[in-house]
Amino acid sequence: QVHLVESGGDSVQAGGSLRLSCAASGSTASSIVGFAWFRQAPGKEREGVATIYTPGGGTYYSASVKGRFTISQDNSEKTVYLQMNSLKPEDTAMYYCAAKRRYGTVWHQSSGYDYWGQGTQVTVSS
């Protein structure tokens, strides 16, 4: 079992920055092959924001955040970060960390992930 805990959500003004963290723990944390950040705004579907594969560190981003957000991981590959710059009001959402144990699904497909955190709220005001 893997436990994911997010942190770093806050309220900021447009143009500001935040860094989200996701710490993975548990007896099978070493079996994770990829992490991702998803977000969900009220009344909208959950959206894949960014992913990072481990080992290797390959990354992918949604078009809406590419160039503004950066996903990274620490050397232990058990903590993943999402650096969010140039934030916009439309980035307001609950952000969730997710982890998968197997390859084979499109990175932004939420059903491909085995573990989810509880979420951290990001609010961007204009």
Side-chain angles (χ1 to χ4, degrees):
Q1 187 67 17
V2 175
H3 188 52
L4 302 176
V5 178
E6 304 104 329
S7 60
D10 205 344
S11 296
V12 296
Q13 290 192 328
S17 298
L18 284 174
R19 190 176 83 154
L20 306 183
S21 299
C22 171
S25 62
S27 59
T28 56
S30 59
S31 67
I32 295 172
V33 300
F35 289 92
W37 287 96
F38 286 77
R39 67 185 181 186
Q40 188 166 19
K44 294 189 176 181
E45 293 187 356
R46 189 166 293 191
E47 171 194 19
V49 174
T51 192
I52 188 165
Y53 288 97
T54 178
T59 59
Y60 296 93
Y61 298 90
S62 70
S64 60
V65 307
K66 193 171 185 179
R68 300 188 297 123
F69 291 10
T70 303
I71 189 170
S72 61
Q73 58 190 13
D74 68 358
N75 289 336
S76 72
E77 297 180 340
K78 293 184 179 179
T79 300
V80 177
Y81 305 97
L82 185 69
Q83 178 66 43
M84 305 186 295
N85 298 328
S86 302
L87 283 162
K88 305 175 181 180
E90 51 263 44
D91 294 318
T92 295
M94 184 72 78
Y95 283 70
Y96 298 91
C97 178
K100 61 167 57 175
R101 295 176 299 172
R102 291 171 296 272
Y103 298 106
T105 56
V106 179
W107 74 266
H108 52 79
Q109 183 177 341
S110 59
S111 61
Y113 292 83
D114 302 288
Y115 308 105
W116 291 84
Q118 81 288 351
T120 186
Q121 178 68 38
V122 172
T123 303
V124 184
S125 58
S126 57

